Amino acid sequence: MNRQITASTCCYCGVGCGVLIEHDGERILGVSGDPAHPANFGKLCSKGSTLHLTGDLSARALYPELRLGKGLARTRTDWDTALDHATSVFARTIAEHGPDSVAFYISGQLLTEDYYAFNKLARALVGTNNIDSNSRLCMSSAVVGYKRSLGADAPPCSYEDLESSDCVMIVGSNIAYAHPVLFRRLEEAKSRRPQMKVIVIDPRRTDTCDLADLHLAILPGTDVALFHGILHLLLWENRVDRDFIEAHTQGLTELKQLVHDYTPSMVAQLCGISIEQLQQCAEWVGTTPSFLSLWCMGLNQSTAGSAKNSALINLHLATGQIGRPGAGPFSLTGQPNAMGGRETGSLSNLLPGHREAANADHRAEVAAYWGVEQLPASTGLTAIELFEQVRSGKIKALWIACTNPAQSMPDQNAVRAALQNCPFVVLQEAFRTTETAAFADLLLPAASWGEKDGLVTNSERRISHVRQAIVAPGEARPDWAITVDFAQRLEKHLRPGQPSLFAFETPTQLFDEYKQMTRGRDLDLSGISHGLIDRIGPQQWPFPTNASAGTARLYGDGVFPTANGRAQFVAEPFRAAKEQRDAQFPLTLITGRLRDQWHGMSRTGTAAQLFGHVGEAVLSLHPQDLRQHDLQPGDLVSLKSRRGEVIVPVSSDDNVRPGQAFLPMHWGDRFLKGGVNSLTLPAFDPMSKQPELKHSGVRLEPVQLPWRLFALIEGDVQQHFETLRTLCEPFSYVSLSLAGRERPALLIRAASASAADPSLLREIDQCLGLHEGTVLAYDDPRRSIGKRVRIDNGRITAIRLAGETLAQHWLQNLWLEGRTDEELRRWLLAPLSTPPGHGATSIASNQTLCNCKNVSQSAVCAGIARGLDLLGLKEQLGCGTQCGSCVPEIKRLLVATARPVAVTS
Ligand SMILES: Nc1nc2c(c(=O)[nH]1)N[C@H]1C(S)=C(S)[C@@H](COP(=O)(O)OP(=O)(O)OC[C@H]3O[C@@H](n4cnc5c(=O)[nH]c(N)nc54)[C@H](O)[C@@H]3O)O[C@H]1N2
Ligand SMILES: Nc1nc2c(c(=O)[nH]1)N[C@H]1C(S)=C(S)[C@@H](COP(=O)(O)OP(=O)(O)OC[C@H]3O[C@@H](n4cnc5c(=O)[nH]c(N)nc54)[C@H](O)[C@@H]3O)O[C@H]1N2
Ligand code: SF4
Ligand SMILES: [Mo]
């Protein structure tokens, strides 16, 4: 076999790790960290290191598919027919209803060249600013924060600053899960310099707190009050940098008046922390030689997201902690190329090169460069507004690329109604399985990671090359090529006889045209090229023509890209989150990420191994709230908000505070009936227009769903997924997941108020292969109880329990261990399904803590019981020795099981 290695970049988070792809030109065989890449120096997290196990071909979109009417099925077509059809619908819609009747909704996961093509298409050719991206749900509050406080959308720091800082404040970021390789770098830095202080500000006690010297579990949404409270203390204790303030800032007088009222007692009470904690935090911030803050969605996804960002930056300006090693306000970027999106103008209010769509001079500059008469002056729609306009019928043709709004947008019932209502939905996707795919009139198969070529910018402004390793499967094409091909067809209608705006044949040509638009601007990339990155490695912008190296840190001279060169203090009062706890909805629902899943799971959800850590969507509640509702862990509840309902099992978790609940964001309607975002609200920040995905008012209602179903089927998981999900639609609770490693299986859990129709059960059995072959069966139709186990070559290959499912975990273990002993036969013939001698066993102990070395939680606990410490566990079990993502959790188990040791004097 012709094995080759291609150096590329991980397609998941904004850390932007370099990966070495091992492949044979057609298949990706393995991945490892690129030791030469300055973001990760060879490390990868549990997601990056399993990239080669994801992306099951049977889940991929391989051919264009078109349907010619709602309710019809899409059928395979060829690229010419597909794009000609799209062209004629777009041309007709624009002619009849004007350019603002169409819209583009794109993604922070596109490459820079893809973005550029989309921007030119929307703004220069179609003539609309209706081009927004999922970064609106992610980074737009940080964009506003940087721009109004510092003058430009530029994170000023480098990853090295994180390592050299004396005090790191992590706010609203679960970096241990969401940016694991950076967390690893921080861990190492702190172990080298234990005097380094780490403060974590998060309503939940996350794995990130493992590194914290101080954890402030503030009440959701109260960050602005906290930051003002810290500033209050800094000012009144004279721990500010007067010289810096004098020379490089403006606006402190007004802010000082505002924060006068944010007294320690008022702030402590409002935030739900102690005055001592607040004082400790302010003391560290005010006295440390270098102060760096890191933040992510806990600040941005808020109706006060812009205020939260600026209030945090205020602290850096007051202490002069910016532009120096180890210091600065450092926003973590979520998606791999959300930064590139911001640079190329991929939010409706922006234009390429950090320009503004509302600025007439900027529009004129861009129009002149593109050789068009003018750019549209009308305001473009932002994500939430855009889907509202789709629903109201104003947007009549919608082009979606590289995002799954029918999973990730808040208020899903409204979003699905919009998609249902839209006359023409185009979806450019790598996977045909997503929730949004169900609404697409035209599905265009996109090449995905490892199959396409272009540039991405990570959180520290570093541009890396995403290189193609293998050919795209089927007829999938790279995003830039799809967009350019469509644009070339559309310009024949909209600009007949004029020279093409889209004479691009390679991504390099797109980049070379784009980069000239950044010349002389804060982000100047004019010195960068694909070739340069290949020669000298990934570089941080600005990188002007003739530069020999990138720029590690901004604002070292105290000059900011504002009109008068001064940074701006922003004085905005604290405003509470939109939905406060009340009698009707007494809990605050927080949503966020898990360690091993990526967003809507189109990719990570194809690898059974990535379900080992967390296998299903479970609502975390404080033990006190469980007791109050008379619930046991594992019980199903109906979780209701003002917008929707989902049924989920509960778990007891004292990492959330009473009155709060946590649900992972990953489960859409495919994996969990209804999907998490049917609960969340569309309210958004007035400036950034970023929705408040982090806090919604919810309540728990008991449900009576006595009839249960559990099914497991080994083998081609994707083949069964859609069929079984559809068959299970009549049940109230439906949850799908994968399990196993070498021999993956699909798992289904469902519940219903009454027994399933026997004919439905027969269909499910047929799909599970339980209608023929060696099937052990027991039925008690009177009690609607049934058990079926299929055995092939002495191993369990399929299971179906109906009625009650007490034996599900026991059976799953038998399946995993490949056992079919006498116990199984005896259990099958017994009228109840309770497993022998077990009661209802829990799967929790089977949870895989260490994915790399496949070490379970129970093995780690047994090791701890034998007296092993972290080093011993690593040596004996191997856990935590590869990617290290599980180390915080192992440490937590060590602490939890620590026994008092007798001390002899
Ligand atoms: N494993 C994994 N990693 C990812 C992703 C993924 O899907 N999976 N997605 C990537 C993307 S696009 C993004 S945007 C990032 C997101 O990265 P993060 O923002 O770090 O992740 P989240 O879990 O969404 O939210 C972070 C924390 O905010 C806390 N929080 C909630 N409300 C508040 C509040 O009012 N104030 C404060 N201070 N904290 C609050 C939550 O409890 C949560 O722990 O992750 C990136 N990395
Ligand atoms: N409740 C709640 N909801 C949230 C959040 C939250 O914290 N809580 N976080 C929000 C945030 S920060 C974000 S960033 C969004 C993310 O939300 P989405 O953007 O919907 O997330 P993904 O599932 O990553 O969607 C990317 C899609 O692109 C497809 N894809 C992958 N590679 C390619 C490619 O090369 N080309 C094309 N064309 N397609 C490709 C994938 O299959 C996938 O379906 O979710 C938001 N929603
Ligand atoms: S931290 Fe993990 S997910 Fe993020 S870029 Fe690195 S390997 Fe990929
Ligand atoms: Mo994000």
Side-chain angles (χ1 to χ4, degrees):
M1 205 193 323
N2 167 28
R3 280 193 178 237
Q4 307 164 41
I5 301 283
T6 301
S8 191
T9 312
C10 176
C11 64
Y12 293 124
C13 84
V15 177
C17 297
V19 296
L20 299 176
I21 307 177
E22 194 190 339
H23 63 96
D24 63 4
E26 278 176 15
R27 280 169 314 144
I28 292 176
L29 307 166
V31 288
S32 56
D34 182 353
H37 198 287
N40 58 320
F41 300 107
K43 293 188 179 65
L44 290 179
C45 75
S46 52
K47 292 182 301 300
S49 59
T50 49
L51 264 166
H52 59 298
L53 304 176
T54 58
D56 193 335
L57 270 191
S58 55
R60 290 291 301 273
L62 298 174
Y63 311 100
E65 287 176 15
L66 177 65
R67 69 175 176 201
L68 294 169
K70 299 280 174 201
L72 299 178
R74 280 192 311 260
T75 53
R76 179 174 170 177
T77 184
D78 58 78
W79 274 103
D80 273 332
T81 312
L83 291 181
D84 281 341
H85 181 78
T87 304
S88 75
V89 176
F90 268 72
R92 196 177 60 233
T93 310
I94 294 163
E96 283 175 19
H97 305 281
D100 287 340
S101 65
V102 306
F104 299 86
Y105 183 59
I106 62 176
S107 163
Q109 296 169 59
L110 288 170
L111 307 181
T112 296
E113 295 77 4
D114 305 331
Y115 285 128
Y116 182 65
F118 266 117
N119 265 281
K120 200 171 179 187
L121 163 65
R123 303 191 207 255
L125 178 58
V126 173
T128 181
N129 285 318
N130 287 342
I131 170 166
D132 210 44
S133 92
N134 62 359
S135 290
R136 188 67 66 182
L137 317 180
C138 183
M139 299 313 299
S140 62
S141 298
V143 174
V144 171
Y146 277 133
K147 285 208 298 206
R148 61 183 187 157
S149 295
L150 305 179
D153 175 22
C157 312
S158 285
Y159 293 160
E160 281 162 17
D161 290 320
L162 182 61
E163 295 166 322
S164 63
S165 181
D166 296 293
C167 177
V168 175
M169 180 194 269
I170 304 171
V171 200
S173 145
N174 187 6
I175 177 175
Y177 279 12
H179 299 89
V181 166
L182 260 193
F183 186 68
R184 215 97 305 129
R185 288 179 66 166
L186 182 63
E187 264 176 347
E188 276 171 26
K190 189 161 161 62
S191 73
R192 280 195 305 271
R193 291 188 303 116
Q195 70 275 21
M196 170 198 246
K197 294 282 182 263
V198 175
I199 305 168
V200 174
I201 302 170
D202 192 309
R204 300 186 302 138
R205 187 170 63 231
T206 60
D207 270 13
T208 301
C209 296
D210 174 53
L211 217 56
D213 299 288
L214 178 66
H215 171 216
L216 303 183
I218 59 166
L219 293 172
T222 59
D223 304 81
V224 170
L226 176 71
F227 300 145
H228 287 351
I230 296 172
L231 185 59
H232 177 106
L233 284 165
L234 294 176
L235 285 166
W236 270 265
E237 289 169 4
N238 204 16
R239 283 178 168 153
V240 294
D241 184 339
R242 300 271 166 211
D243 294 341
F244 182 87
I245 295 170
E246 184 65 28
H248 303 300
T249 70
Q250 63 186 17
L252 183 61
T253 315
E254 197 192 335
L255 179 60
K256 201 170 166 180
Q257 272 167 15
L258 177 78
V259 303
H260 181 263
D261 297 338
Y262 289 73
T263 59
S265 60
M266 176 268 218
V267 168
Q269 201 192 0
L270 208 151
C271 297
I273 56 172
S274 70
I275 295 183
E276 290 71 35
Q277 286 179 315
L278 174 64
Q279 279 167 335
Q280 178 68 86
C281 183
E283 186 192 318
W284 284 348
V285 171
T287 57
T288 180
S290 57
F291 164 54
L292 183 135
S293 61
L294 287 173
W295 73 95
C296 208
M297 292 309 114
L299 294 199
N300 295 350
Q301 287 172 343
S302 155
T303 46
S306 303
K308 286 184 178 190
N309 271 267
S310 287
L312 176 55
I313 298 176
N314 284 342
L315 300 182
H316 288 274
L317 298 179
T319 50
Q321 293 281 11
I322 184 168
R324 298 196 274 110
F330 197 179
S331 118
L332 291 168
T333 319
Q335 298 176 89
N337 197 27
M339 284 285 287
R342 289 143 72 176
E343 293 150 24
T344 52
S346 302
L347 289 169
S348 59
N349 53 311
L350 304 178
L351 290 177
H354 280 180
R355 290 179 175 84
E356 301 293 318
N359 180 318
D361 294 337
H362 287 176
R363 288 200 303 275
E365 282 165 30
V366 175
Y369 186 72
W370 280 342
V372 296
E373 213 167 287
Q374 57 179 18
L375 291 191
S378 56
T379 314
L381 297 168
T382 64
I384 302 290
E385 302 164 313
L386 194 155
F387 278 84
E388 272 166 18
Q389 300 276 3
V390 173
R391 188 155 72 126
S392 73
K394 194 164 165 259
I395 301 294
K396 296 172 199 312
L398 175 62
W399 192 296
I400 301 169
C402 200
T403 176
N404 182 14
Q407 192 276 333
S408 55
M409 290 273 293
D411 196 6
Q412 276 299 311
N413 291 326
V415 170
R416 289 173 206 151
L419 287 166
Q420 191 63 41
N421 197 29
C422 186
F424 189 56
V425 177
V426 182
L427 178 64
Q428 195 169 313
E429 241 299 344
F431 291 80
R432 59 168 182 77
T433 47
T434 71
E435 284 83 357
T436 307
F439 297 95
D441 298 295
L442 178 62
L443 177 68
L444 301 174
S448 184
W449 174 82
E451 305 156 3
K452 55 191 284 195
D453 182 72
L455 300 182
V456 292
T457 311
N458 74 1
S459 292
E460 58 165 359
R461 293 171 283 106
R462 191 182 294 280
I463 300 179
S464 295
H465 196 168
V466 174
R467 295 186 188 84
Q468 178 175 3
I470 57 167
V471 290
E475 293 179 6
R477 297 171 68 186
D479 288 287
W480 70 267
I482 300 173
T483 311
V484 165
D485 189 345
F486 170 68
Q488 287 171 348
R489 291 168 202 251
L490 189 63
E491 63 185 348
K492 297 209 173 81
H493 289 257
L494 301 182
R495 294 167 39 98
Q498 296 189 54
S500 175
L501 296 173
F502 292 89
F504 303 110
E505 278 157 24
T506 62
T508 324
Q509 290 171 343
L510 281 153
F511 185 77
D512 289 344
E513 181 180 302
Y514 155 64
K515 73 179 182 189
Q516 299 304 339
M517 303 176 86
T518 66
R519 188 182 288 280
R521 299 199 54 82
D522 74 291
L523 78 167
D524 197 331
L525 319 168
S526 58
I528 301 255
S529 66
H530 285 220
L532 179 104
I533 304 282
D534 293 347
R535 272 197 313 282
I536 66 169
Q539 295 299 318
Q540 288 173 283
W541 61 249
F543 195 109
T545 312
N546 298 328
S548 55
T551 313
R553 200 169 298 110
L554 305 178
Y555 314 137
D557 55 2
V559 179
F560 293 89
T562 52
N564 62 5
R566 286 171 177 271
Q568 177 73 43
F569 281 105
V570 175
E572 272 171 348
F574 159 72
R575 284 198 185 83
K578 177 91 191 301
E579 290 192 336
Q580 292 300 304
R581 296 168 55 196
D582 59 19
Q584 243 200 321
F585 295 96
L587 291 168
T588 299
L589 176 71
I590 298 175
T591 61
R593 279 144 182 90
L594 296 177
R595 196 188 76 187
D596 294 350
Q597 294 294 351
W598 179 260
H599 296 164
M601 309 199 281
S602 60
R603 180 183 278 281
T604 48
T606 62
Q609 154 167 359
L610 293 177
F611 287 85
H613 187 237
V614 178
E616 52 181 325
V618 175
L619 182 75
S620 306
L621 288 171
H622 190 269
Q624 194 177 307
D625 284 317
L626 275 191
R627 273 197 303 277
Q628 201 184 327
H629 286 87
D630 203 16
L631 289 165
Q632 296 294 323
D635 285 355
L636 291 177
V637 293
S638 157
L639 185 64
K640 281 207 168 103
S641 79
R642 290 174 177 82
R643 293 150 296 276
E645 172 194 16
V646 288
I647 291 173
V648 276
V650 295
S651 73
S652 172
D653 183 354
D654 62 5
N655 295 315
V656 296
R657 290 175 65 157
Q660 295 169 20
F662 177 81
L663 206 51
M665 57 134 343
H666 306 287
W667 274 262
D669 180 60
R670 245 183 116 225
F671 285 94
L672 173 73
K673 188 176 177 179
V676 171
N677 277 320
S678 40
L679 302 167
T680 49
L681 71 164
F684 52 71
D685 178 273
M687 263 179 267
S688 70
K689 310 282 175 92
Q690 179 159 351
E692 190 145 73
L693 287 158
K694 281 285 173 275
H695 322 297
S696 4
V698 290
R699 68 162 172 263
L700 304 176
E701 284 182 10
V703 282
Q704 293 304 321
L705 302 171
W707 188 88
R708 300 294 168 100
L709 177 85
F710 171 77
L712 178 153
I713 168 113
E714 209 179 273
D716 186 349
V717 164
Q718 294 304 327
Q719 187 202 324
H720 303 292
F721 198 112
E722 309 311 319
T723 322
L724 283 164
R725 176 64 190 84
T726 311
L727 286 173
C728 288
E729 190 54 28
F731 306 134
S732 302
Y733 166 69
V734 186
S735 164
L736 277 73
S737 57
L738 313 190
R741 284 170 87 93
E742 287 77 27
R743 302 174 312 123
L746 175 67
L747 261 55
I748 301 150
R749 296 187 178 86
S752 171
S754 56
D757 194 76
S759 65
L760 173 58
L761 217 47
R762 261 198 307 280
E763 270 187 273
I764 292 175
D765 283 347
Q766 220 154 45
C767 190
L768 295 168
L770 287 168
H771 58 303
E772 55 180 25
T774 322
V775 175
L776 306 178
Y778 172 90
D779 282 307
D780 181 351
R782 209 171 29 86
R783 297 191 303 138
S784 308
I785 284 180
K787 324 177 202 173
R788 280 188 173 32
V789 177
R790 183 185 166 108
I791 295 176
D792 291 312
N793 302 320
R795 302 183 48 97
I796 296 178
T797 55
I799 303 168
R800 188 269 286 162
L801 297 177
E804 48 90 348
T805 57
L806 293 169
Q808 54 171 303
H809 300 311
W810 174 70
L811 278 172
Q812 195 180 323
N813 282 343
L814 290 191
W815 160 74
L816 205 61
E817 291 157 12
R819 286 200 286 130
T820 50
D821 43 28
E822 198 39 46
E823 233 181 16
L824 174 66
R825 280 163 215 282
R826 266 204 309 275
W827 163 82
L828 253 167
L829 297 174
L832 267 181
S833 93
T834 317
H838 287 76
T841 51
S842 153
I843 199 75
S845 58
N846 238 340
Q847 182 192 15
T848 316
L849 272 201
C850 174
N851 238 330
C852 305
K853 291 288 181 176
N854 194 16
V855 182
S856 69
Q857 178 173 331
S858 52
V860 171
C861 289
I864 296 174
R866 289 200 306 275
L868 296 180
D869 61 0
L870 182 60
L871 208 65
L873 290 166
K874 283 183 173 178
E875 273 170 15
Q876 289 200 9
L877 305 176
C879 54
T881 53
Q882 297 287 305
C883 81
S885 297
C886 60
V887 171
E889 210 165 331
I890 298 175
K891 285 197 197 157
R892 228 166 357 100
L893 286 176
L894 276 163
V895 172
T897 40
R899 268 159 307 181
V901 182
V903 183
T904 47
S905 53

